[in-house]
Amino acid sequence: MMEAARTLGASPIHAVLRIFAPSARPAIAGGLALVLMETAADFGVSDYFGVSTLSIGIFRTWYGFGDLTAASQLAAMLFFFAMILVLMEEAGRRGRVSEEARVQRKFTRFVLRDRQQLRQRILSFVVLTGFLTPLFLLISKLNVVGASIDLRSLPHTTGNTGFIASTGAILIITLAILLAYTARATKGRWVRFLLRIATLGYAVPGAVIAVGILTLLAGAGRMVTHDVTVVTGVGALLFAYASRFTTIGYNTTAAGLEQIDPSIDAAARTLGSSTTKLISRIHLPLLSKALASATIVVFVDITKELPATLILRSFNFETLATKVYRLAGDERLAEAAPHALLLIAIGLIPILILNRLGDRSS
C-alpha cells in the first residue's frame, strides 16, 4: 500500500496519515486501552512510590485491615472502571475494518539518512533510560555489596516461580485450546457471547480477581485468613491466573486456528481421518508456533504477576515478584537485586525466543 501510494505521488508522511493511520486505528485503540488497563491495575510501582490507587487500596484494606467487605467495594469500583475502558475500546473499533496482514515478500532494509538517524537516536534513548539504565544499576548493587548478599532463598523462590508459572501456563493453554475449538465448531450467538465473557478476564485487575476469589471462599464457608494452606493457596492462584490470562492464550490460539482452512478438515474427513488424527497429525503441527507463542507470553505474565499473588499465596510461598516487592519495600535494594535480575532474565529470554519464532515465520 505504501508503494502504491508513492506511485500516485503521495509523500511518505501523507501516505502514513491518510492510509496507514486509519487502517491501524483498531490496533491503536486496542493498544491504548491495554495501556490504560495496565496502568489502572498497576500495583508494585505505585505502592513503592507512594501513589494511592484503587489497586493499592484493595490490597491494604484486605492485607492490612482484614476487611473483606471494604476490599470488595473497592474492587467493584476498579472493575467498573475496567469495564468502561473495555467499552471505550470496542466503541473505538466499531465500524472500522482493516485488511489482514499479508507478507508477499521480505521487507527491504533501508539505510537511514542523517535526518532519520535522529529519530533512531530518540528511540534508542527511550530504551536506554527505560531498560538498560535500571539494569546496570541493579548490576552495580551486586558489585557494591558483593558476598554479603544472602542468596540462600533464591533457588527456593525461583523454583516456586517456575512451578506456578509452568503449571498455570499448561492449564491456561489447555483451556484456550478447548475454547478455540468450541468457537471453530459452533458459530451461534450465545456461544460467541459466552466466549466473550470467558475471555474478558485480562481487562480485570489482578487485585479484583483475588478479592473475588476470597469472597467465593468466604461464601463457601471456608475460613479466609492470610495464613492459608499451600494447597488452597496454589489452587486459588491457578484459578486467578486462569481467570485473568486465558484471554492471551485464547486470542493467540484462535488466531493460529483461523489460519487453517476448513477445506483441509474436509479433505482429511473424506480420506477417513478421525477427529483425534485430524488434530494430532494436521492441526497441532500447524498450530505449534501459535501454541509456543501463547505459552511463552502466558508464562512471562504469570511470572511477573504481583497483586493477586500477594493476596492469594499461602504463608511463606514466595515468588520472584513477591520477593522483589517485599525486599524493595524494606529498602533492601541490594538483596532484591539478584531476584530482580533473575526475574528480568526469565521474562526476557522467552521474549527473545518469541521474536525469533516471529522472524522465522515471516
Side-chain angles (χ1 to χ4, degrees):
M1 290 190 293
M2 172 65 80
E3 293 169 348
R6 295 300 303 277
T7 59
L8 295 174
S11 63
I13 296 179
H14 186 73
V16 168
L17 295 178
R18 295 292 300 274
I19 298 176
F20 285 175
S23 299
R25 179 173 175 176
I28 295 172
L32 176 62
L34 180 63
V35 171
L36 292 174
M37 293 173 191
E38 290 288 349
T39 304
D42 177 71
F43 175 80
V45 176
S46 300
D47 185 56
Y48 183 78
F49 288 106
V51 181
S52 297
T53 62
L54 284 174
S55 183
I56 294 174
I58 293 170
F59 177 78
R60 290 178 179 174
T61 302
W62 160 245
Y63 207 79
F65 302 103
D67 191 344
L68 184 58
T69 302
S72 300
Q73 293 172 351
L74 291 175
M77 293 176 60
L78 187 55
F79 177 78
F80 179 72
F81 181 70
M83 290 303 100
I84 291 178
L85 293 177
V86 172
L87 294 177
M88 289 174 56
E89 189 266 341
E90 290 187 351
R93 291 188 290 109
R94 190 170 300 157
R96 297 283 178 170
V97 294
S98 58
E99 283 196 358
E100 186 178 329
R102 300 185 187 95
V103 179
Q104 287 85 12
R105 55 184 170 80
K106 291 185 177 180
F107 292 106
T108 303
R109 288 184 176 271
F110 292 94
V111 179
L112 297 178
R113 301 172 183 172
D114 294 338
R115 185 176 58 184
Q116 295 171 328
Q117 288 180 357
L118 177 61
R119 305 169 191 172
Q120 185 183 28
R121 294 190 185 99
I122 295 175
L123 296 176
S124 300
F125 178 76
V126 174
V127 177
L128 176 65
T129 56
F131 175 70
L132 295 180
T133 301
L135 180 64
F136 291 143
L137 288 175
L138 287 174
I139 295 175
S140 67
K141 295 291 183 182
L142 300 178
N143 295 331
V144 171
V145 181
S148 64
I149 299 178
D150 186 7
L151 299 178
R152 288 176 297 179
S153 63
L154 187 59
H156 182 260
T157 305
T158 305
N160 288 341
T161 304
F163 165 73
I164 199 68
S166 301
T167 307
I170 293 172
L171 173 62
I172 289 170
I173 296 304
T174 302
L175 292 175
I177 292 174
L178 294 176
L179 292 175
Y181 273 99
T182 301
R184 183 182 178 89
T186 309
K187 301 298 182 180
R189 180 180 300 177
W190 282 103
V191 174
R192 292 199 304 268
F193 174 75
L194 293 176
L195 286 173
R196 178 61 175 161
I197 296 298
T199 57
L200 199 61
Y202 194 72
V204 183
V208 175
I209 294 178
V211 171
I213 293 175
L214 290 176
T215 306
L216 287 176
L217 292 176
R222 296 186 61 89
M223 179 65 71
V224 180
T225 62
H226 299 316
D227 189 9
V228 296
T229 63
V230 175
V231 176
T232 305
V234 171
L237 282 176
L238 292 177
F239 186 78
Y241 296 152
S243 301
R244 186 155 195 262
F245 299 126
T246 297
T247 306
I248 303 173
Y250 170 77
N251 289 343
T252 307
T253 304
L257 197 58
E258 288 177 357
Q259 302 301 316
I260 303 177
D261 197 293
S263 61
I264 297 178
D265 299 0
R269 293 292 189 184
T270 59
L271 295 175
S273 175
S274 62
T275 303
T276 304
K277 288 185 178 180
L278 174 64
I279 294 176
S280 61
R281 301 182 65 179
I282 298 178
H283 284 188
L284 286 182
L286 295 175
L287 283 173
S288 59
K289 290 184 178 180
L291 293 177
S293 300
T295 304
I296 290 172
V297 174
V298 171
F299 181 89
V300 172
D301 271 329
I302 293 177
T303 299
K304 64 184 181 64
E305 207 288 326
L306 181 60
T309 308
L310 278 173
I311 295 174
L312 296 174
R313 68 188 178 96
S314 59
F315 179 73
N316 205 30
F317 186 86
E318 293 276 9
T319 64
L320 288 172
T322 61
K323 190 74 172 181
V324 171
Y325 166 79
R326 189 170 61 82
L327 293 175
D330 295 337
E331 293 299 331
R332 297 155 64 184
L333 300 181
E335 296 182 43
H339 299 83
L341 290 172
L342 187 56
L343 184 61
I344 293 173
I346 291 177
L348 188 61
I349 293 175
I351 294 299
L352 294 177
I353 297 175
L354 181 61
N355 291 336
R356 180 60 61 89
L357 290 176
D359 292 339
R360 290 179 178 177
S361 62
S362 61

